[in-house]
Structures are given as structure tokens and as C-alpha cells.
Amino acid sequence: GRRDHAEIGVEYHVFVNPSITEVLCTTTAEAIAMGKWVIVPRHASNEFFLQFSNCLQYTSKSEFVELLQYALSNPVDYVISESSSTAKDGSIDRSQFFAPLTWENATLRLIDSAYLNKREARRRDRLTLHKEDRSIQEWHYALGNGKSGDVLRKVLGGGPVAEQSTYKNLSSTLSTSSSSTSLVSAR
């Protein structure tokens, strides 16, 4: 059943995430931050985690078995760079080790990866795929707009959010009536 991560803190010390399709890998980051051994396949989506000494990456089934046996029989020992600071009591400051796992640093990595320079923007504009994308976007918008969009969303199982045009009309009616009420009260 479901349990809080803190409750299983010492009970389990190995986390295996065999996924190569998970983009955010939040569970992997959480396990690293909790001080668990993390075993993941060597893949572009897991490349970020190579910097952590408690992340073990495999390329084959036999290598996975070896890493799992290693993790089960050895405690996690963080390797922190020499440039990391020490606390006042002389112990290693582990915040340096975990700094890349903060949401702030994750957001900065996302912004960096989304950056598009002028050269890349011009190259994308030259691609014919760009024109096809725009056509698909316009078709998708037309199909999902208005009452026909509401019907389509209902048929596809949209539930209570299917009637978006009704909500949109109600919202605009309410905002129009409240602005005309404020004009009347201002006179």
C-alpha cells in the first residue's frame, strides 16, 4: 500500500527506475536526495544523474544484476567535490551535493534547454515542417472551438470540462455585466 517516504527511510536503500521514457525523473531525483542507491539505465533521460555518486547506470541485464548486488551489499557513500564547503563543525556540507536537485536549479536547466538562438530560429523557419505544424495547429483550433468543440470533448470523455464554450460565454457575459454595473455606479 501507500506509505510516506520518510516511513521507509532506513528500511529500503535501493531505488530502481528502469524507465527510458520518463522525462522529469522526479522519483529518481527524490531517491538520490534521500540518500538511496539509484539504479537506472544509461540513457539520455538519465544523463543528469551521472554526477551523483549514489547513481549507478547499467547498459545490459548482467550489468544491472552486478550493480543491484553491489548496491544491496554496500552503504551509500557520497563523493563530494573538493571545492564543496565544510560546515562550522568540520563536517562536509552536503547541501553542495544536493544543490542540483533543487527546483530552482531544475528551472534554470529547463530555461537553458529551451533557449533558441537566432540562427536556430531562422533554420526552423526554413523547414517545411514549420508550415505543416501551423496547418495542424489551425485545424486543431478550429475543430475544438465553439459548440462543435464541446460536442467533440463530450464524445471523447471530457466530462464536466467538455462544455468550454458555454463556460466561456458565461464568463464573458458576467464580466460584461459587471463592467456595465461599475459604469452605472460610477455615474
Side-chain angles (χ1 to χ4, degrees), residues 39 58 60-72:
I39 304 174
Y58 63 90
S60 66
K61 291 177 184 178
S62 60
E63 191 176 10
F64 168 76
V65 171
E66 288 175 26
L67 292 175
L68 182 59
Q69 289 172 342
Y70 176 82
L72 289 171

Side-chain angles (χ1 to χ4, degrees), residues 101-150:
L101 296 172
T102 64
W103 282 112
E104 180 181 6
N105 284 325
T107 303
L108 292 174
R109 285 192 304 278
L110 175 66
I111 291 169
D112 285 345
S113 69
Y115 176 74
L116 187 67
N117 61 33
K118 288 180 181 179
R119 180 178 169 202
E120 178 66 17
R122 282 192 305 270
R123 186 185 74 78
R124 288 185 181 194
D125 281 342
R126 285 192 309 266
L127 294 175
T128 58
L129 185 62
H130 178 71
K131 293 173 186 170
E132 291 171 4
D133 284 343
R134 176 141 343 262
S135 298
I136 291 169
Q137 175 189 9
E138 290 169 359
W139 179 77
H140 183 264
Y141 178 77
L143 188 64
N145 203 14
K147 294 276 185 197
S148 61
D150 288 351

Side-chain angles (χ1 to χ4, degrees), residues 30-65:
E30 289 173 348
I32 287 173
M34 290 175 66
K36 310 293 181 196
W37 281 114
V38 171
I39 304 174
V40 294
R42 185 171 297 274
H43 185 265
S45 64
N46 294 320
E47 194 174 295
F48 166 76
F49 299 113
L50 276 174
Q51 66 186 295
F52 300 98
S53 58
N54 56 326
C55 180
L56 307 172
Q57 295 191 349
Y58 63 90
T59 56
S60 66
K61 291 177 184 178
S62 60
E63 191 176 10
F64 168 76
V65 171

Side-chain angles (χ1 to χ4, degrees), residues 8-28:
I8 59 172
V10 289
E11 195 174 337
Y12 299 98
H13 69 281
V14 178
F15 176 78
V16 176
N17 185 356
S19 176
I20 58 169
T21 59
E22 192 175 341
V23 178
L24 297 176
C25 304
T26 306
T27 55
T28 302

